[in-house]
Amino acid sequence: MAFNFGGAANSASLSGTGFGAATTTSAPTGFGFGSGGTGAFGGFGSTTTSAAGGTGFSFSTPSNAGASLFGNTQSKGFGFSSALGSSGGLGGAGLGFGGFGGIQPAQNQPGGLFNQQASQSSQLFNTASALSAPSVLSDERDSILARWNQLQAFWGVGKGYFSSSTPPVEFSPENPFCRFKAVGYSCVPDVKDEDGLVALALNKKEADVRCQQQQLVESMHKVLGGNPTLTVNVEGVRALPDDQTEMIIYLVERSPNGMSKRVPASTLYSYMEQMNVKSVLQQLGVIMAVSRTALTPAQLKQLLQNPPAGVDPIIWEQAKVDNPDPEKLIPVPMVGFKELLRRLKIQDQMTKQHQTRVDIISNDISELQRNQATTAAKITQYKRKLMDLSHRVLQVLIKQEVQRKSGYAIQLDEEHLRVQLETIQSELNAPTQFKGRLNELMSQIRMQNHFGAVRSEERYRVDADLLREIRQHLKHQQEGLSHLISVIKDDLDDIKTIEDELHDSVHGRSSKLS
């Protein structure tokens, strides 16, 4: 029988009564989530964080509280950050895959390590007996029971009976024979303990939490003793699967001299973990609290060196080798379908948040494009206005200069300027140069107006300044033609007078001769 789960091909033979001879497992290749899936995974073992020093303040604990906030500062939980890699990316850092689980503080008991090893050895022996050689019925049916126990162990559920006088073995997904396991990757948290961030999982919808945020902050301030020098602040709020919400808070202490500082996350978390405070928080809808603190190098080394419960060391070592970014990502196990479903839900939640952010950015880009088009139109309008004002200023300067030079003789530079202007004027009036081009332009304008009457959408509009220049040039041409006509008329009159005089003189001479 073969089980394929997340790219990890696991095959197991159920033909024999032996439990280890025919079992092969390959390293998982799926569930990489290379961009850093988020997660806070519990069950890596026991880790104890040394007690922090006093913070210079204390909460007024309820009447049945036996410890202050700055006592017993053992940190619980690794609380991996969101898939964005930092808090506040889309409304605050995410709890990530694995929920609010964390590493429980170790309990130092006399002979605890020896008792734990003995219990593990006994559990492993009972599991081996249930899978290989159960002796419940003492006949051939025990082999069938062994195969049934193997199937339950591979599936990770049920009870394995191996002796009539001993309680059965409980099969959980954490047992080493469970086939439905894989390894993914989560972001390594980079939040410091001094930042004081504590994540609270609320059994409420995001909209309800945002509406009741001020009331929740006031209630938490009362739970924390109601000290006027302390202020509860919300770092971010974001939705979680199953209609839950994550709210990240931090506490600020203000001293009488006006200075303020954040309460360490381990101190705030240890106070919230007191039974009386925890019960009050549960009444407010708080399911779980996690201290957002980064892993120390010693904790990270211990986490990587010790495979989680039920994970093959070979698969764990291969997952560390296949880590796409060891500096930012850390391998986390996924045991069972519930863990896979939870990871899938949070991945879908983060995808929706990313899509929401992309939509917001798209709307901003569209708005900027509209503003750019409006600004470009305004710039063009201002350029035209500047040109008009420049022409007006130039006309004023010309008139002022004419009035200033009135009554003075023409100077040498002005004479040179007049010659240049006349040269330019003659070039403009030359029929083979600018005048021909101007005539061609006028014909094109007439044709365009003609076609514009048929197709109004193709009508072109001549600039007002250009039209004024054309009108002025045509006026000059008209004046020149009028002057030429008057000169010709004068010349014709003179010729006629000459002809009359000649005719009279010829007639007088002929009369004298006769």
Side-chain angles (χ1 to χ4, degrees):
M1 179 177 293
F3 302 95
N4 291 329
F5 181 69
N10 301 326
S11 61
S13 175
L14 302 180
S15 59
T17 57
F19 64 90
T23 302
T24 59
T25 306
S26 63
T29 59
F31 309 111
F33 297 98
S35 61
T38 58
F41 181 82
F44 292 109
S46 300
T47 301
T48 304
T49 304
S50 60
T55 60
F57 68 94
S58 62
F59 293 103
S60 57
T61 59
S63 58
N64 55 351
S68 63
L69 178 62
F70 51 83
N72 187 18
T73 58
Q74 288 182 338
S75 176
K76 176 182 178 182
F78 284 158
F80 295 109
S81 63
S82 65
L84 297 178
S86 62
S87 62
L90 289 175
L95 296 175
F97 302 116
F100 276 81
I103 294 181
Q104 302 289 343
Q107 301 292 335
N108 296 325
Q109 298 178 357
L113 181 60
F114 176 78
N115 293 334
Q116 185 178 5
Q117 292 178 353
S119 176
Q120 291 179 354
S121 300
S122 176
Q123 181 73 13
L124 184 60
F125 177 77
N126 294 339
T127 302
S129 300
L131 298 180
S132 59
S135 58
V136 178
L137 303 174
S138 300
D139 54 16
E140 66 276 3
R141 290 176 293 181
D142 286 342
S143 62
I144 300 175
L145 181 60
R147 296 180 183 179
W148 173 246
N149 290 339
Q150 291 176 13
L151 181 60
Q152 292 186 102
F154 295 155
W155 190 263
V157 293
K159 298 180 180 180
Y161 292 89
F162 63 94
S163 176
S164 58
S165 59
T166 307
V169 179
E170 292 284 347
F171 293 122
S172 64
E174 285 77 17
N175 78 84
F177 303 100
C178 180
R179 290 291 180 259
F180 301 105
K181 297 176 183 177
V183 179
Y185 299 94
S186 294
C187 289
V188 178
D190 55 356
V191 182
K192 299 180 181 179
D193 186 41
E194 293 78 8
D195 296 334
L197 299 181
V198 175
L200 303 177
L202 301 173
N203 193 17
K204 297 180 180 180
K205 296 182 179 180
E206 181 184 6
D208 297 337
V209 173
R210 291 188 181 276
C211 293
Q212 303 173 3
Q213 179 173 331
Q214 186 61 32
Q215 292 84 345
L216 288 173
V217 170
E218 293 176 358
S219 300
M220 289 181 185
H221 185 263
K222 293 179 181 178
V223 171
L224 298 176
N227 193 335
T229 61
L230 300 177
T231 305
V232 179
N233 299 275
V234 178
E235 178 74 13
V237 177
R238 78 176 189 96
L240 295 177
D242 301 328
D243 292 334
Q244 296 181 359
T245 305
E246 176 197 40
M247 183 169 67
I248 302 178
I249 64 172
Y250 62 92
L251 204 61
V252 176
E253 179 194 12
R254 290 180 173 81
S255 58
N257 58 3
M259 299 296 293
S260 62
K261 65 177 181 178
R262 293 191 180 188
V263 177
S266 57
T267 306
L268 179 59
Y269 173 78
S270 61
Y271 180 80
M272 288 184 173
E273 282 298 296
Q274 296 180 12
M275 293 304 298
N276 54 334
V277 178
K278 196 172 185 178
S279 61
V280 177
L281 292 176
Q282 289 177 355
Q283 295 177 2
L284 297 177
V286 178
I287 303 174
M288 190 176 297
V290 170
S291 174
R292 286 302 176 87
T293 54
L295 298 173
T296 63
Q299 289 176 334
L300 188 60
K301 182 179 179 180
Q302 179 185 4
L303 184 63
L304 295 176
Q305 289 181 350
N306 300 324
V311 177
D312 192 347
I314 298 178
I315 297 178
W316 186 251
E317 292 297 328
Q318 186 64 33
K320 292 192 293 184
V321 173
D322 296 338
N323 191 344
D325 192 352
E327 297 294 331
K328 297 181 179 180
L329 302 178
I330 188 172
V332 292
M334 294 180 293
V335 181
F337 291 102
K338 290 184 178 179
E339 182 68 22
L340 179 62
L341 179 61
R342 179 166 49 186
R343 195 172 182 112
L344 180 61
K345 286 182 178 179
I346 296 182
Q347 186 74 15
D348 183 64
Q349 188 76 22
M350 294 302 300
T351 301
K352 290 180 180 179
Q353 293 185 5
H354 292 166
Q355 185 62 42
T356 302
R357 177 59 61 182
V358 169
D359 294 340
I360 294 174
I361 294 175
S362 177
N363 294 333
D364 293 341
I365 291 175
S366 300
E367 184 67 23
L368 290 175
Q369 289 177 347
R370 288 193 293 268
N371 295 337
Q372 181 185 9
T374 305
T375 304
K378 289 183 178 180
I379 289 174
T380 305
Q381 180 181 0
Y382 291 151
K383 283 183 178 179
R384 292 179 179 176
K385 189 175 181 180
L386 176 62
M387 185 178 296
D388 294 339
L389 293 176
S390 300
H391 291 168
R392 292 176 61 183
V393 170
L394 182 60
Q395 292 176 0
V396 171
L397 290 176
I398 292 173
K399 292 180 179 180
Q400 183 180 4
E401 188 68 15
V402 169
Q403 292 179 359
R404 190 175 68 87
K405 293 291 184 176
S406 178
Y408 290 92
I410 297 178
Q411 298 178 0
L412 182 61
D413 55 348
E414 294 177 348
E415 182 65 24
H416 291 314
L417 181 61
R418 185 181 65 81
V419 173
Q420 293 178 2
L421 291 176
E422 289 179 352
T423 305
I424 295 173
Q425 183 69 25
S426 62
E427 291 179 357
L428 289 175
N429 295 331
T432 59
Q433 294 185 1
F434 298 101
K435 188 175 181 180
R437 296 181 184 180
L438 183 61
N439 294 332
E440 183 181 358
L441 180 61
M442 290 300 299
S443 63
Q444 291 181 358
I445 291 174
R446 293 190 188 97
M447 292 177 60
Q448 194 63 39
N449 292 333
H450 175 71
F451 286 115
V454 181
R455 294 178 298 178
S456 59
E457 64 275 5
E458 296 182 0
R459 180 179 300 171
Y460 292 94
R461 185 172 62 88
V462 181
D463 188 70
D465 297 333
L466 181 59
L467 188 61
R468 186 169 56 254
E469 292 177 1
I470 294 173
R471 188 182 295 109
Q472 188 71 18
H473 180 73
L474 293 177
K475 183 179 179 181
H476 292 166
Q477 293 293 326
Q478 184 67 27
E479 293 176 353
L481 291 174
S482 299
H483 180 69
L484 182 60
I485 291 172
S486 62
V487 170
I488 292 173
K489 286 181 179 182
D490 294 339
D491 292 342
L492 289 175
D493 293 339
D494 294 338
I495 292 173
K496 187 177 179 181
T497 303
I498 293 172
E499 288 178 351
D500 292 340
E501 291 293 335
L502 289 174
H503 180 72
D504 293 339
S505 63
V506 171
H507 182 70
R509 289 177 182 178
S510 61
S511 60
K512 288 178 180 181
L513 291 175
S514 59

